[in-house]
Amino acid sequence: MNSDSRTTFKSKIGIIMAAVGSAVGLGNIWRFPYEAGQNGGGAFLLIYLLCVLVMGIPTLLAEMTLGRMAKTNSVEAFRRVSKHPVFSRIGYLGVLSCLLILGFYTVVAGWTFQYMWESVSGDIVGGTTEQFAQSFVDFSTSPFQPLFWTLLMLVFTHLIIIGGVQKGIERASKLMMPLLFVLLVVLCVNSLMLDGAREGLLFLFKPDFSAIDSGVVLSAMGQAFFSLSLGAGVMITYASYFEKEVNMPRTATTVALLDTSVALLAGIVIFPAVFTFGIQPTQGPNLVFVTLPNIFAQLPWGSVWSFIFFLLLALASITSLISLHQVVTAYVEEEFRVSNRKAALIVTCAAGVLTVFASLSLGVLNDLRVGGMCLFDLLDFVTAKIMMPVGSLLLCVFMGWRLEKSALLNELTNYGTLRWRWAKVFVVVLKYVVPILVTLIFVNELGVFKF
Ligand code: PHE
C-alpha cells in the first residue's frame, strides 16, 4: 500500500476514539490497580501522574507527529525520516513489543470471557471472598479453559483486523468506550458507599513518601507508557491514518486525560472493595479478578451488572488488541508486500503460539522460569518496564535530535495554521527531559546509584 492510498479515519471523534480505544483497556482496569496495590498506592499514583504529564503526553504527541508525517507503518516511518543505520531501525523494537504484549494481553482478555460466562451461569454472585479467590486460581491455572477463551479472543481480533481499518476499529470503539466510562462511574458511586471506602481512598490517594523506591518509580513509569500505548509504534501507526487537519496537541492531551481518568475510576472502584472484603492489595495480577466478584455479589441483580461490566471490559481489551495486532500486521503487509489477510494470519499465528505458552505458564508450565518469572510475568515485565520506556526514549531522541526542528514544528502546527504555545517546551522535553528521566530511572533501578 503506498502512502496515498492509505485509508484515513473519517470523523474527528473516530480519530480520538480509536486512539482512546487503544489506550484504554486492561492496562487501566486490570494492570493499574494491581501495580498500584503492589507499589504502595498513593506514592505510586503520584509518580504515575507525573510520568503521564511530563513524559507520556509529549511522547504520545511525538508518536502522532511522526505517524502523520510518514504515513506508513511504524518501522518504515523511522526509515522514511532518517537514513541513519541505527535510527532507521528503532521501529523494529516497537513491532516486537507489540507481538510480545499480544502474548500476555490476549490471555487476560480471555479471562474476561470466562467472567462473562460465569455471570450468566450465576457462579459469580454466590460465594465468599475466599471462594472467589480460589475459583480464580483454579481457573487461571487450569490448562484448557483459559486457552479456549484466549484463542477465541485472538480469532475475534483477527476477524476485525481483516474487516479493514476504518469499519472495524472506528465502529467498535465509538460505541463501547463511553458505555464503559458510564458503568465505571456507577460502580464508583457504589464503592464509595462501602464500609472500607475511607481506607481504600486513603490507600490510593494519600502518598506515603517512605514507600517510594526505585522499583516503585520504574513501575509507575512503565505503567504510564503501557497505559498510553507508547513506545510500541501504536500511535505512529494510528496517526498514519490521521488527516492533515487533525489538531494533534489537543488530541494527545484528550487521549491522555481520558485514559488517566479511566485508570483513576478503576482505582476508586477497586480499592474501597479491597479493604471492605479483606483482600490483599499486594497480590498482583489476580487482584481485580478476585475483587470484582465481591462487588457484584453485594449488588442487586449482581450477575447482570457483572455481565455488562465484563462485556465492556472485553470490548475495551479488543480495541487495544486490535491496535497491537494492527502494528504488526501493517508492518508485515507493507514490508513483505503481502495481502492484508495474509499478514494478519501470520501475526495471529505467531501471537497464538505465544499466548498458548503464556497461558500455560500460569499453570502446568509454571516451573519454567527466567529471572524468577514465569513467561506470563516475564512478557509483562520486559515490555512495560524495559521495551516501552526504551522505545519511547529512542523515539524522543529521534524526534528531538534527528528530525529538523522546522519539520517537527510544521507538522505539529499543521503548517502554521495552529497556534500551540507549548511548542518550545515540547521540543526541550523531547530533547532532554524524557531521555534523561528514563535513563535516570533505569540507572537508579540497576542500583548504580540511588536518588
Ligand atoms: N494501553 C493498552 C491498555 O492500557 C495496552 C497497550 C499497550 C495497547 C501497548 C497497545 C500497545 O490496555
Side-chain angles (χ1 to χ4, degrees):
M1 204 193 284
N2 69 33
S3 53
D4 298 330
S5 68
R6 290 173 78 80
T7 27
T8 51
F9 283 113
K10 245 196 321 237
S11 59
K12 262 195 194 139
I13 187 84
I15 290 164
I16 297 190
M17 281 326 222
V20 174
S22 168
V24 174
L26 294 165
N28 311 61
I29 292 167
W30 161 72
R31 201 173 185 283
F32 171 78
Y34 101 63
E35 283 280 337
Q38 277 185 327
N39 290 288
F44 174 89
L45 177 64
L46 183 70
I47 304 175
Y48 166 72
L49 292 176
L50 284 175
C51 287
V52 169
L53 191 71
V54 178
M55 300 196 270
I57 296 177
T59 309
L60 178 55
L61 188 50
E63 283 208 16
M64 287 184 170
T65 311
L66 177 60
R68 194 180 62 176
M69 188 185 274
K71 292 220 176 327
T72 176
N73 67 70
S74 60
V75 168
E76 181 62 23
F78 288 94
R79 273 192 227 136
R80 207 164 270 186
V81 179
S82 169
K83 300 281 171 273
H84 190 283
V86 173
F87 282 111
S88 64
R89 294 204 171 88
I90 300 176
Y92 291 112
L93 183 69
V95 173
L96 184 63
S97 302
C98 285
L99 190 62
L100 298 183
I101 296 171
L102 272 177
F104 72 94
Y105 202 94
T106 319
V107 175
V108 184
W111 296 346
T112 60
F113 277 166
Q114 165 76 10
Y115 275 67
M116 271 162 74
W117 171 250
E118 284 186 21
S119 312
V120 176
S121 65
D123 293 346
I124 217 150
V125 286
T128 61
T129 303
E130 289 74 33
Q131 281 166 341
F132 289 137
Q134 191 56 44
S135 89
F136 177 74
V137 172
D138 291 345
F139 159 69
S140 62
T141 55
S142 76
F144 299 115
Q145 222 171 339
L147 270 189
F148 170 74
W149 296 121
T150 299
L151 295 176
L152 190 65
M153 201 41 130
L154 198 57
V155 170
F156 262 6
T157 309
H158 180 86
L159 293 178
I160 299 177
I161 293 280
I162 60 175
V165 174
Q166 208 158 334
K167 279 180 277 149
I169 305 175
E170 214 168 310
R171 212 186 294 151
S173 38
K174 230 189 310 194
L175 204 71
M176 298 304 166
M177 290 288 129
L179 274 181
L180 178 67
F181 202 87
V182 172
L183 185 60
L184 278 172
V185 172
V186 173
L187 291 177
C188 266
V189 174
N190 173 63
S191 280
L192 290 176
M193 293 188 305
L194 294 173
D195 293 340
R198 202 186 126 77
E199 218 182 326
L201 292 182
L202 281 177
F203 177 81
L204 182 62
F205 289 108
K206 191 160 176 270
D208 166 9
F209 291 99
S210 67
I212 298 180
D213 61 16
S214 63
V216 172
V217 180
L218 179 69
S219 300
M221 173 178 73
Q223 177 61 24
F225 287 128
F226 186 87
S227 191
L228 291 171
S229 310
L230 296 178
V234 169
M235 295 300 174
I236 300 177
T237 307
Y238 269 18
S240 74
Y241 305 108
F242 281 9
E243 283 172 357
K244 58 180 188 309
E245 294 80 23
V246 174
N247 180 333
M248 290 190 294
R250 193 186 295 155
T251 307
T253 318
T254 312
V255 171
L257 216 81
L258 287 174
D259 184 69
T260 309
S261 344
V262 174
L264 281 174
L265 287 178
I268 301 173
V269 172
I270 295 296
F271 287 107
V274 162
F275 287 94
T276 305
F277 301 110
I279 296 165
Q280 282 301 329
T282 47
Q283 62 182 281
N286 294 10
L287 182 69
V288 172
F289 286 90
V290 169
T291 309
L292 283 167
N294 288 284
I295 298 180
F296 296 125
Q298 50 87 42
L299 281 176
W301 301 310
S303 48
V304 177
W305 287 106
S306 169
F307 180 79
I308 300 175
F309 179 83
F310 284 109
L311 174 69
L312 294 176
L313 184 55
L315 288 160
S317 336
I318 292 181
T319 52
S320 300
L321 282 170
I322 293 168
S323 70
L324 290 160
H325 200 300
Q326 181 74 22
V327 168
V328 197
T329 302
Y331 164 67
V332 174
E333 182 182 344
E334 294 177 3
E335 179 91 355
F336 302 103
R337 296 186 192 287
V338 293
S339 67
N340 175 266
R341 276 172 181 268
K342 198 162 177 189
L345 191 64
I346 295 172
V347 176
T348 300
C349 292
V353 174
L354 263 180
T355 57
V356 167
F357 282 101
S359 180
L360 292 177
S361 79
L362 294 170
V364 286
L365 297 182
N366 198 252
D367 290 337
L368 271 179
R369 279 166 184 263
V370 178
M373 286 178 270
C374 67
L375 181 66
F376 180 95
D377 294 336
L378 186 70
L379 290 173
D380 181 332
F381 177 85
V382 169
T383 50
K385 295 189 185 164
I386 302 177
M387 295 174 72
M388 300 176 87
V390 170
S392 302
L393 179 151
L394 293 175
L395 172 93
C396 290
V397 170
F398 180 81
M399 296 297 280
W401 295 94
R402 283 296 297 177
L403 193 65
E404 239 168 77
K405 197 167 150 201
S406 57
L408 175 69
L409 292 180
N410 274 339
E411 187 68 44
L412 198 68
T413 59
N414 299 355
Y415 288 82
T417 56
L418 282 179
R419 282 203 181 287
W420 192 50
R421 59 194 158 109
W422 297 93
K424 287 211 177 78
V425 180
F426 172 67
V427 176
V428 173
V429 172
L430 289 193
K431 281 181 116 154
Y432 304 100
V433 179
V434 176
I436 292 176
L437 279 180
V438 174
T439 311
L440 278 180
I441 292 172
F442 275 141
V443 173
N444 187 53
E445 170 68 9
L446 290 173
V448 179
F449 76 92
K450 291 284 168 196
F451 289 136

